[in-house]
Amino acid sequence: MEMMSVYSSLELDRAEGLAIDELIARSQQPIPDPDRWLEEERRPNVLITSVDAVLNWGRRSSVWPVNFGLACCAFEMIATAVSRFDIARFGMELFRASPRQADLMIVSGTLTWKMAPQLKRIYEQMPEPKWVLAMGVCAMSGGTFAGSYSVVPGVNRIVPVDVYVPGCPPRPEALLYGIGMLHQKIAKDSIAVKR
């Protein structure tokens, strides 16, 4: 008869600490911004241009966000969904509960190293194409907590970020402007470029 191994809380804490230390070691440099459409000037043919226009129209008209609210910026992000600001007019009827149904991750608030593995896991569960919007100065660079040992100095150390929305916290209008910038970025994407 085999005995199941029982872990003590000290062993679990040690294993989690080692995993976080490994993530910190791998995340010393920011991930480059995914601006594929800026890399080269190309002349696509009429067919690809037409297909791109239809696909990009559909993608930018139905961006479904997953809520990754971490701190006070999350209140402003949630306020964007109320009728006054009406995020639904951009095809974002509601925030998705599952990352498998979403293609936009809005990271709002201070990301700690302990929460970073969960952020990466949710990002990896999202289907392609996917985009990330960093909302607030804490998500962008760590904010006032940037010098702390437990705070990630920017979400772009863990996942690639497409749009940055500065502020502490940014108002819902700023988030809507950032979503508009993301729509412009989506409109310039092409199926001719491999992801």
Side-chain angles (χ1 to χ4, degrees):
M1 178 172 139
E2 285 186 32
M3 282 293 263
M4 291 182 57
S5 53
V6 177
Y7 295 105
S8 69
S9 60
L10 183 62
E11 290 173 353
L12 289 174
D13 287 346
R14 185 173 295 125
E16 183 181 42
L18 290 173
I20 291 172
D21 288 343
E22 181 184 324
L23 180 64
I24 291 171
R26 285 192 318 244
S27 305
Q28 293 303 310
Q29 294 297 319
I31 297 171
D33 292 339
D35 288 332
R36 295 179 302 274
W37 53 272
L38 287 175
E39 291 175 6
E40 66 181 46
E41 202 55 44
R42 63 187 183 287
R43 297 181 186 155
N45 62 34
V46 175
L47 178 65
I48 290 180
T49 302
S50 300
V51 171
D52 281 342
V54 171
L55 282 176
N56 292 339
W57 171 81
R59 286 178 179 161
R60 75 175 180 268
S61 298
S62 62
V63 176
W64 292 356
V66 64
N67 180 355
F68 205 86
L70 296 166
C72 47
C73 287
F75 291 111
E76 299 293 330
M77 176 181 58
I78 294 165
T80 310
V82 300
S83 60
R84 179 177 178 195
F85 301 104
D86 192 22
I87 202 170
R89 64 190 154 143
F90 299 109
M92 301 175 175
E93 294 300 322
L94 51 109
F95 289 98
R96 302 293 158 190
S98 169
R100 290 181 176 90
Q101 299 173 348
D103 49 10
L104 169 63
M105 177 188 285
I106 302 175
V107 183
S108 56
T110 310
L111 179 65
T112 61
W113 284 110
K114 193 163 186 170
M115 195 64 181
Q118 286 74 14
L119 174 92
K120 189 161 184 68
R121 183 179 304 123
I122 288 175
Y123 177 78
E124 289 170 352
Q125 290 174 353
M126 292 169 60
E128 290 286 342
K130 55 188 169 187
W131 301 278
V132 177
L133 188 144
M135 181 181 179
V137 71
C138 290
M140 290 169 56
S141 65
T144 57
F145 312 105
S148 174
Y149 69 94
S150 62
V151 173
V152 178
V155 174
N156 62 349
R157 303 284 177 120
I158 308 300
V159 295
V161 176
D162 294 284
V163 177
Y164 297 91
V165 178
C168 186
R171 294 199 29 86
E173 294 93 342
L175 179 57
L176 291 176
Y177 184 77
I179 289 169
M181 291 176 61
L182 180 65
H183 286 177
Q184 292 173 9
K185 191 170 192 175
I186 293 170
K188 294 176 183 173
D189 205 3
S190 175
I191 61 170
V193 179
K194 290 185 179 179
R195 295 190 176 276

